[in-house]
Amino acid sequence: MPPIMALLLAVLIGGCSTTKNIPDDDQLYVGLRPLNYLDADDSNYTIATQEEVEAALATAPNDAFFGSSYFRSPLHIGLGVWNAFSKKTSGFAKWMTRTFGSEPVLMSNVNPALRSSVAKTVLRNRGYMHSQVDYRIDTLSNPKKAKIAYSIRMDSLLRIDSMSYVGFPAPMKQLIDSTASEAIIGRGSPFSASLLDSERARLTTLFRNNGYFFYNSGYASYLADTFDVKNRAQLRLQMVKDVPEEAVRPWYIRRTRMNLKRSFREALTDSTVRRSLSIFYSGKRSPIRPRVVLRNMSLMPRQPYSYAKHVESLARINSTGVFSSVDFQFTPVGNDSLDLTIDCTFDKPYDFYLETTFKNRTIGRYGPELRIGFTKLNAFRGGEKLDVNLHGNYEWQARGQSSNMNSWQYGADISIEFPRIIAPFVDRWLARHNRRRQFFTTPTTMVKASMDIIHRPGYYRMHVAQGEWTYKWQSSANKRHEFSPLTLKYQRMNNSTHEFDSILIENPYLMVTMSDVLIPKMRYTYVYQSPSTRLNPLRWEITVQEAGNLTALFDLVVQKNKWKQTGKTLFKNEYSQFVKVETDLTKTWQLGTSDRKLVGHINAGVVYAYGNSVVAPFSESFYVGGANSVRAFTARSIGPGGYTDAYGLGKYNYLLRNGELKFVGNLEYRQRLFGNLHGAIFLDAGNVWSISNANSEMGFRMNKVLKNLATGTGLGLRYDMEFLVIRVDWGFALHAPYDTGKSGYFNLRRFKDMHSLHLAVGYPF
């Protein structure tokens, strides 16, 4: 019997009875009743506690819908297969059972009594000392099936009345007092085991960051008195007796030794010394320059040991990407000194890769692509990463007027990533002013260049060159910066035939995307991400770009050309000149629990062309619509302003659906439905406007902003696979910014124009 037929048969058979193999003294567990909370308020702390209780009680039945403890799929495939094949001994039956079967979840295995006890422990650990968790087994119409109903009485919350620290040596007590404002618990705090442990862990980190290398959390314990005030506890954290002497005195770094190995068992034959660092290696010279290691070390000689600097040094050395493993070992010397040994094993220096793809473009072009290259780590003994690749593709036109317009393309990319900021002038300025650059993580400098040659036999030949020099650094845990003093794109058609020129006239898409372009650009991006501990986090990103200004200044000073003169060229191409600013803001509000959120998002930008450019390049203009924008409309289907297809471009009218001014606003409510399935309700609005055509229907006018904003609402589903989020959004248009022939705000005439379905990966913002 074919497997698919056997599976269908098993479903039919299993659907008749999913309980025939249930033991006589047991029942099939089919889910939970809604949890019943007694004496519970609506505070955030109580809601968070309820989440932990639910996690302790949650148990998915057979064929649970997306892992839910409450809902099951109406098709009990797993149970059907198990009932049909689990007791058979043939190889096919074993394969069916192993592949598609699901063993019945029995009430005895769920063990509600044990889970009630665990939930009660959770409540006590959260400060609900007199809580109670009861359960009831509800037998259904089929006596072999049952659900569980839990009842949770939370009672009064025990809080801290006073907190004191006792028995610590004077220097350690001074550290405690100096950081009193950072204490996690205090008067009025819930008597929560997790909060108590967090405060003890905070002190351990505080001591270890100030030299107390051998101190650990077990050297202090809590004592609580709950008799004086009802539902209040007087709390003491005191040092235990017989604490080792080395745990209550600070330790200092003496010397550092680094062992550099290409393999774990390699013998080290030589060494070099740079200040307090000794590097041991095999060969004629150190595989990596000593200053690369020193630059990433925060633990310095004659300074107290610091756990934070220990972790930072380890992370920075790892972030160079040169080593497969890094290990720190500390050896006590005398009464207060530590020698540090760092064992580093190099990763494989070379990595070769081969990538093949087959492209199917929406414009009717198909073809294979091949990319072959290699990566070299620590290319110049400074932790650099060198990547070189060659690539090529072949495409043919499968439909359209130019079905014989086949093509091929080949080129090369090269990039070098340095684990440091390469800026000699800045370094000299800092040295003169006795300053040092401080970074939260290892910064990088990336240099990249590429060249592509495109052939369309019988039509044209084009060269496309691109280059980039970019600095990336992180000034704090929440602030990232990226600065590109130069990014360059050069696209030039070297020659074309009369036949191709006639195709350009008939095909506006080719005319726009294949025009000669030179964009010498400078870019800066700043990203702020609020701390992960914030209840309502915020993310803000802003990018500022300018193009052609230095080139125009050169023309003004050297070539004596006027600043506003157009048609000026560089490398035989007219260069673009513009300023562009784009910002993106996302704010998240927690609504009681982590499963319910309200997310607000704003994206806005403006690009202004001047001097040598009348309009901004097509690739730098803004557009709206699509899965991450106004989801009731497809990409490039609205704007600029109230523009309609007045030029009769038909399917090519999207070429004009861009502008120099952009605004998009989104509001989305997200909630976990059950298991890993989440739902969303959203409201989107946005459009783009033209600055160069400000007096037309494409232009921005304050009195027409609301009319020009395309708006839509919709529903979405997100399936969270932990490493990947699959998203489906169904948007419904409320208002189109152009004339549809229907009056009023809700002006969509046909149902097919009122909705858009999007399948995407990840959240929209």
Side-chain angles (χ1 to χ4, degrees):
M1 180 185 299
I4 186 62
M5 295 298 295
L7 184 59
L8 291 174
L9 180 61
V11 173
L12 292 175
I13 296 173
C16 298
S17 174
T18 58
T19 59
K20 69 176 185 177
N21 291 327
I22 302 300
D24 293 336
D25 59 346
D26 214 333
Q27 291 176 299
L28 178 68
Y29 164 75
V30 294
L32 297 181
R33 299 288 190 192
L35 301 184
N36 181 28
Y37 289 97
L38 305 174
D39 301 330
D41 56 39
D42 58 353
S43 67
N44 289 334
Y45 186 81
T46 299
I47 293 174
T49 302
Q50 291 174 352
E51 289 184 354
E52 293 188 21
V53 170
E54 183 172 351
L57 298 177
T59 308
N62 290 101
D63 304 308
F65 198 55
F66 291 99
S68 171
S69 298
Y70 303 94
F71 302 100
R72 302 173 70 200
S73 169
L75 296 176
H76 306 306
I77 298 176
L79 277 176
V81 173
W82 180 271
N83 288 335
F85 297 100
S86 63
K87 293 186 177 181
K88 297 180 180 179
T89 59
S90 67
F92 176 76
K94 291 181 178 179
W95 176 81
M96 287 291 294
T97 303
R98 183 176 61 253
T99 305
F100 301 106
S102 176
E103 186 175 359
V105 179
L106 302 178
M107 190 63 69
S108 59
N109 293 332
V110 175
N111 198 342
L114 176 61
R115 292 182 180 275
S116 297
S117 176
V118 172
K120 185 176 180 180
T121 300
V122 169
L123 289 168
R124 290 179 62 86
N125 287 339
R126 296 281 292 182
Y128 296 92
M129 296 301 177
H130 304 291
S131 59
Q132 187 64 38
V133 179
D134 299 313
Y135 71 92
R136 182 185 73 251
I137 297 178
D138 290 346
T139 300
L140 305 185
S141 57
N142 182 346
K144 283 293 185 180
K145 294 182 179 180
K147 287 193 171 187
I148 304 175
Y150 290 102
S151 178
I152 301 102
R153 182 176 296 278
M154 301 188 72
D155 208 337
S156 300
L157 176 63
L158 180 64
R159 295 183 179 274
I160 295 173
D161 184 63
S162 62
M163 176 70 187
S164 60
Y165 303 86
V166 180
F168 292 90
M172 301 177 76
K173 185 62 167 60
Q174 186 176 0
L175 287 173
I176 296 174
D177 294 341
S178 65
T179 59
S181 60
E182 302 173 12
I184 297 174
I185 56 177
R187 183 180 177 85
S189 299
F191 192 87
S192 165
S194 61
L195 292 180
L196 300 185
D197 287 342
S198 296
E199 173 64 8
R200 187 163 56 175
R202 181 189 74 87
L203 294 185
T204 300
T205 301
L206 173 66
F207 296 148
R208 298 200 71 201
N209 283 341
N210 285 273
Y212 295 87
F213 176 78
F214 290 100
Y215 184 87
N216 64 61
S217 297
Y219 293 149
S221 62
Y222 286 102
L223 291 177
D225 184 354
T226 60
F227 292 102
D228 289 347
V229 183
K230 184 179 180 181
N231 293 327
R232 292 280 176 168
Q234 295 178 348
L235 197 63
R236 289 202 312 256
L237 179 62
Q238 65 181 32
M239 186 167 283
V240 300
K241 296 180 180 180
D242 301 324
V243 175
E245 180 65 25
E246 62 267 17
V248 291
R249 64 168 178 262
W251 293 77
Y252 298 82
I253 302 298
R254 192 178 71 154
R255 287 193 295 261
T256 301
R257 167 178 172 148
M258 172 171 274
N259 299 325
L260 300 176
K261 300 179 180 180
R262 293 180 177 86
S263 64
F264 182 73
R265 296 183 178 181
E266 183 181 32
L268 305 180
T269 59
D270 208 342
S271 65
T272 184
V273 178
R274 292 291 185 274
R275 291 183 287 180
S276 61
L277 175 66
S278 300
I279 298 181
F280 291 79
Y281 53 88
S282 62
K284 296 182 179 180
R285 62 178 182 178
S286 172
I288 192 169
R289 294 188 182 92
R291 68 171 178 267
V292 177
V293 180
L294 289 171
R295 186 167 51 236
N296 290 302
M297 285 296 297
S298 300
L299 284 173
M300 304 304 292
R302 296 179 296 278
Q303 290 186 358
Y305 167 83
S306 168
Y307 177 73
K309 292 182 178 180
H310 172 183
V311 173
E312 180 182 353
S313 300
L314 181 61
R316 285 188 173 185
I317 294 175
N318 269 316
S319 68
T320 62
V322 174
F323 306 106
S324 61
S325 66
V326 179
D327 181 50
F328 278 43
Q329 297 180 10
F330 296 89
T331 304
V333 180
N335 291 326
D336 63 354
S337 298
L338 297 171
D339 280 351
L340 170 60
T341 300
I342 308 174
D343 290 316
C344 300
T345 304
F346 282 95
D347 203 349
K348 295 179 180 179
Y350 293 98
D351 182 21
F352 293 89
Y353 58 89
L354 177 67
E355 300 174 1
T356 60
T357 57
F358 188 88
K359 293 185 177 180
N360 180 358
R361 300 180 186 269
T362 57
I363 58 175
R365 301 188 66 82
Y366 306 82
E369 181 177 1
L370 174 68
R371 182 180 298 269
I372 183 171
F374 79 94
T375 301
K376 188 179 189 310
L377 300 179
N378 197 30
F380 310 111
R381 297 178 55 241
E384 303 86 357
K385 179 181 178 181
L386 172 67
D387 186 281
V388 179
N389 70 76
L390 302 174
H391 57 266
N393 66 61
Y394 183 84
E395 291 184 352
W396 59 86
Q397 189 81 16
R399 63 179 184 270
Q401 297 178 351
S402 305
S403 59
N404 63 334
M405 202 174 80
N406 298 346
S407 66
W408 63 84
Q409 174 180 339
Y410 58 91
D413 296 345
I414 181 171
S415 66
I416 306 175
E417 187 174 298
F418 302 88
R420 58 189 179 276
I421 297 294
I422 301 179
F425 298 104
V426 177
D427 287 338
R428 284 197 287 269
W429 183 88
L430 291 172
R432 284 200 304 269
H433 292 79
N434 196 26
R435 296 182 182 179
R436 182 184 178 187
R437 287 186 295 203
Q438 299 290 333
F439 301 105
F440 183 74
T441 59
T442 302
T444 61
T445 301
M446 195 267 288
V447 183
K448 183 177 181 180
S450 65
M451 169 64 77
D452 288 276
I453 301 175
I454 305 172
H455 287 271
R456 303 288 190 264
Y459 293 97
Y460 69 88
R461 181 182 182 185
M462 177 184 291
H463 285 189
V464 179
Q466 299 186 72
E468 179 180 347
W469 183 293
T470 300
Y471 302 109
K472 296 180 181 180
W473 71 96
Q474 196 167 343
S475 56
S476 69
N478 312 110
K479 299 176 183 178
R480 293 190 293 108
H481 307 262
E482 183 175 321
F483 176 55
S484 300
L486 177 63
T487 65
L488 182 69
K489 180 179 180 181
Y490 178 86
Q491 177 176 299
R492 182 171 180 80
M493 190 176 297
N494 298 77
N495 54 67
S496 62
T497 64
H498 293 293
E499 185 176 359
F500 180 73
D501 293 338
S502 64
I503 293 175
L504 287 182
I505 297 175
E506 298 175 359
N507 194 333
Y509 175 83
L510 294 177
M511 183 177 294
V512 173
T513 59
M514 295 188 176
S515 59
D516 293 344
V517 171
L518 173 60
I519 308 177
K521 190 167 60 175
M522 185 182 298
R523 180 182 70 243
Y524 170 73
T525 299
Y526 169 80
V527 179
Y528 171 79
Q529 178 74 55
S530 60
S532 57
T533 54
R534 291 280 180 87
L535 183 63
N536 303 314
L538 177 142
R539 184 186 185 277
W540 178 51
E541 177 177 341
I542 184 170
T543 299
V544 180
Q545 305 179 63
E546 69 82 24
N549 289 321
L550 294 179
T551 307
L553 183 62
F554 173 81
D555 273 341
L556 178 67
V557 175
V558 179
Q559 304 294 338
K560 306 302 181 182
N561 291 321
K562 295 182 179 180
W563 180 266
K564 295 184 178 180
Q565 179 182 336
T566 60
K568 294 176 287 188
T569 62
L570 181 65
F571 306 123
K572 300 182 180 180
N573 269 13
E574 292 186 15
Y575 58 84
S576 299
Q577 194 172 357
F578 62 84
V579 172
K580 182 178 181 180
V581 180
E582 185 173 7
T583 187
D584 192 274
L585 178 67
T586 303
K587 176 70 173 179
T588 302
W589 293 273
Q590 297 282 353
L591 302 180
T593 73
S594 60
D595 290 340
R596 293 187 294 155
K597 300 176 182 178
L598 183 66
V599 184
H601 172 251
I602 292 176
N603 179 263
V606 59
V607 55
Y608 177 68
Y610 56 92
N612 205 43
S613 297
V614 178
V615 295
F618 183 80
S619 60
E620 298 292 339
S621 299
F622 300 108
Y623 68 91
V624 295
N628 299 325
S629 183
V630 185
R631 285 163 282 186
F633 300 86
T634 58
R636 294 188 184 274
S637 62
I638 51 178
Y643 166 76
T644 56
D645 188 16
Y647 299 98
L649 293 178
K651 65 179 181 179
Y652 297 115
N653 82 87
Y654 71 91
L655 294 173
L656 295 180
R657 298 285 193 187
N658 54 70
E660 294 92 8
L661 184 64
K662 173 187 180 182
F663 174 83
V664 172
N666 312 89
L667 192 64
E668 181 169 292
Y669 172 75
R670 300 171 182 171
Q671 179 172 344
R672 184 174 70 89
L673 301 179
F674 37 78
N676 296 323
L677 186 66
H678 301 251
I681 302 174
F682 55 83
L683 178 67
D684 302 330
N687 205 341
V688 294
W689 292 267
S690 174
I691 295 178
S692 55
N693 295 290
N695 296 323
S696 69
E697 62 180 352
M698 301 181 183
F700 177 84
R701 297 179 184 177
M702 185 61 68
N703 60 346
K704 289 188 176 182
V705 170
L706 293 179
K707 182 180 179 181
N708 284 164
L709 282 178
T711 58
T713 186
L715 305 171
L717 291 175
R718 293 95 168 87
Y719 184 61
D720 189 351
M721 302 165 60
E722 295 185 357
F723 64 91
L724 190 68
V725 175
I726 303 298
R727 171 167 58 96
V728 178
D729 284 329
W730 191 7
F732 297 88
L734 300 176
H735 174 74
Y738 46 81
D739 183 11
T740 64
K742 181 180 179 181
S743 61
Y745 186 80
F746 303 99
N747 61 349
L748 278 300
R749 304 182 63 182
R750 298 176 298 180
F751 179 75
K752 71 174 186 178
D753 299 327
M754 295 175 60
H755 66 100
S756 182
L757 186 66
H758 302 279
L759 177 64
V761 176
Y763 288 100
F765 39 81

